[in-house]
Amino acid sequence: MAFDLSKCDFSRCRGECLVRCPYVSYDEDDAKSAVQALIKGERHPILKECITCAACNDFCPRGADPWDLIAQRQEETGVLGIPPDAKPSSDWLTKPATVVRRGKSGGPLISAGGIYEVVPQAEFLTGQMFEDATIIGGGPYACGFTETHLGRASRPVKFLPQFIENLAKAAAEFGVDEIVFTHDACYNVATTLAMQRGVEVPFRPVHILEYIRNWLRDHPDRIAKPLGIRIAVQGGCTTRLAPKGGDREIWSDWLADIFEMIGVESVEEKRVYTGEDRLCCGCGIFHANHERAVEIQRKNVQDAADAGAEELLFICPACITVMRGTCRKMELEPIYITQMVKRALGEELGPAGAAAFGYPVK
Ligand code: SF4
Ligand code: SF4
């Protein structure tokens, strides 16, 4: 997470970073002059227009990571103007470390991160796949990536050594050598960011999708019924920070394996807003500019429905929390990844339902 000025070469790009940004209408000259202004440390309207989706890091053909420059200037200027009462993640960061549920000795250790209360994750981590699992959460296990949406992009970088140390202590305490992350932000901070910053990670980070894929591979006899449904996928901003497996983000292969095993057909190839062009859930502006966030969500959900999706699958607990209302209004069922797999295992979804509709969120 750092803008690389040496790679930002206006003679070798067409300003793709902002020309392709789906939330502004910039041509090549607009884009380059905006980036130039930010490089010089000047204020520019893009700082306020940017919804912190991180997509321009993917769009830049030179790998300069322009969103990191935007996020840095947003923090320096305080331009996002997020009201203090709309900064719940800061509260989560101060919560004490918690054992959300204690599993069996030898079972997996799952970190629900700092946002374990955003959706009722304990209820989402039940059933056969998680019966032995210990779940931890709280501020010491918060990667802080959410802060990038709130004008404090330096936080995950500054807290990184402490974050890894806290998790390493938890791994030692529970006698495991790997930790499963329910939020891919934590996974990506413990992999991509740790590698970028040269921070040693003394445990193996495991993405929730990798965990589920491996569990299904190890227990093929537990799949009670192929689901036989068409699914669209909400790939959040944090998935963009994922390590690459070949030319794809590594999580997409795990998800494809899961879909195949439980009989789900992806409609992503039929969507307009997919791959690098996927739309953000809008969480970064959900409080400060609610109407704009909901408008983006509507466009996103309509696109999934137009592609023939019967349900919209979420991997990120934060995305499903802010989008489930719009999904419900537009009659496209939102479903969290663990709930979808539990259905294929023939399990009841419990009080949380597919996506915690009507469920009290603290
Ligand atoms: S960040 Fe990338 S796309 Fe944007 S101006 Fe620089 S080189 Fe061009
Ligand atoms: S982070 Fe997203 S919203 Fe912000 S400028 Fe980049 S592409 Fe646009």
Side-chain angles (χ1 to χ4, degrees):
M1 290 183 71
F3 175 64
D4 190 338
L5 180 59
S6 69
K7 290 183 179 168
C8 181
D9 182 344
F10 295 160
S11 69
R12 299 176 73 183
C13 80
R14 294 182 172 169
E16 288 91 334
C17 56
L18 299 184
V19 170
R20 286 183 63 189
C21 169
Y23 314 105
V24 296
S25 302
Y26 282 24
D27 63 18
E28 182 177 339
D29 289 344
D30 296 334
K32 289 179 178 175
S33 69
V35 175
Q36 182 70 279
L38 298 182
I39 289 171
K40 287 186 197 158
E42 295 167 2
R43 280 194 179 230
H44 188 278
I46 190 62
L47 295 180
K48 218 166 169 37
E49 293 161 344
C50 167
I51 69 164
T52 68
C53 78
C56 44
N57 280 359
D58 285 346
F59 299 154
C60 171
R62 305 272 309 146
D65 287 349
W67 176 57
D68 296 88
L69 175 63
I70 293 170
Q72 182 189 336
R73 299 286 183 248
Q74 285 172 329
E75 182 164 12
E76 288 165 359
T77 57
V79 70
L80 288 180
I82 310 279
D85 62 355
K87 291 185 174 178
S89 77
S90 303
D91 299 337
W92 306 329
L93 295 171
T94 60
K95 285 186 185 292
T98 304
V99 178
V100 181
R101 197 175 70 223
R102 198 171 285 276
K104 292 186 187 147
S105 172
L109 179 62
I110 300 182
S111 172
I115 59 168
Y116 68 96
E117 288 180 322
V118 180
V119 289
Q121 285 195 52
E123 284 91 333
F124 279 7
L125 301 171
T126 55
Q128 301 169 64
M129 285 188 291
F130 304 105
E131 61 193 0
D132 295 342
T134 292
I135 305 166
I136 56 173
Y141 311 127
C143 68
F145 191 88
T146 310
E147 295 281 294
T148 61
H149 300 310
L150 301 170
R152 289 192 292 261
S154 63
R155 200 209 174 260
V157 176
K158 281 188 192 148
F159 191 55
L160 177 64
Q162 188 67 59
F163 171 63
I164 298 298
E165 191 184 323
N166 294 343
L167 288 164
K169 279 186 192 155
E173 182 186 339
F174 291 99
V176 297
D177 55 12
E178 56 182 39
I179 297 178
V180 182
F181 294 99
T182 61
H183 193 197
D184 56 8
C186 292
Y187 173 81
N188 296 330
V189 167
T191 52
T192 306
L193 189 60
M195 277 187 276
Q196 283 173 357
R197 298 281 159 167
V199 173
E200 192 190 337
V201 179
F203 55 87
R204 191 172 95 81
V206 178
H207 194 288
I208 186 73
L209 292 178
E210 183 186 7
Y211 175 81
I212 293 171
R213 191 276 307 263
N214 291 351
W215 191 93
L216 289 170
R217 270 192 183 167
D218 291 345
H219 303 85
D221 53 315
R222 307 279 186 93
I223 300 168
K225 48 171 183 181
L227 293 177
I229 49 171
R230 294 185 305 277
I231 289 271
V233 180
Q234 173 63 19
C237 58
T238 57
T239 54
R240 295 184 190 271
L241 191 64
K244 296 278 188 291
D247 60 351
R248 290 148 58 92
E249 290 150 352
I250 193 168
W251 59 274
S252 59
D253 289 337
W254 296 323
L255 191 58
D257 289 345
I258 293 169
F259 279 6
E260 194 181 337
M261 285 188 275
I262 64 172
V264 165
E265 181 193 339
S266 167
V267 302
E268 284 301 304
E269 283 187 1
K270 297 179 188 145
R271 294 191 64 184
V272 174
Y273 304 118
T274 188
E276 284 187 349
D277 295 312
R278 60 186 179 265
L279 290 179
C280 173
C281 71
C283 72
I285 57 169
F286 198 67
H287 294 288
N289 198 341
H290 188 72
E291 269 312 303
R292 189 177 176 214
V294 171
E295 196 49 47
I296 293 164
Q297 292 178 355
R298 284 198 200 106
K299 202 156 89 167
N300 198 358
V301 172
Q302 189 61 53
D303 182 58
D306 290 346
E310 295 165 276
E311 298 181 6
L312 182 53
L313 175 70
F314 291 84
I315 301 158
C316 168
C319 287
I320 196 166
T321 300
V322 297
M323 280 189 69
R324 63 190 185 191
T326 300
C327 285
R328 179 174 50 184
K329 282 186 192 132
M330 296 181 72
E331 298 181 350
L332 184 66
E333 176 77 357
I335 186 156
Y336 187 58
I337 178 67
T338 58
Q339 304 296 80
M340 187 179 78
V341 177
K342 277 163 69 176
R343 249 177 22 202
L345 300 176
E347 297 179 350
E348 293 294 322
L349 299 190
F357 275 169
Y359 199 78
V361 176
K362 290 173 196 160

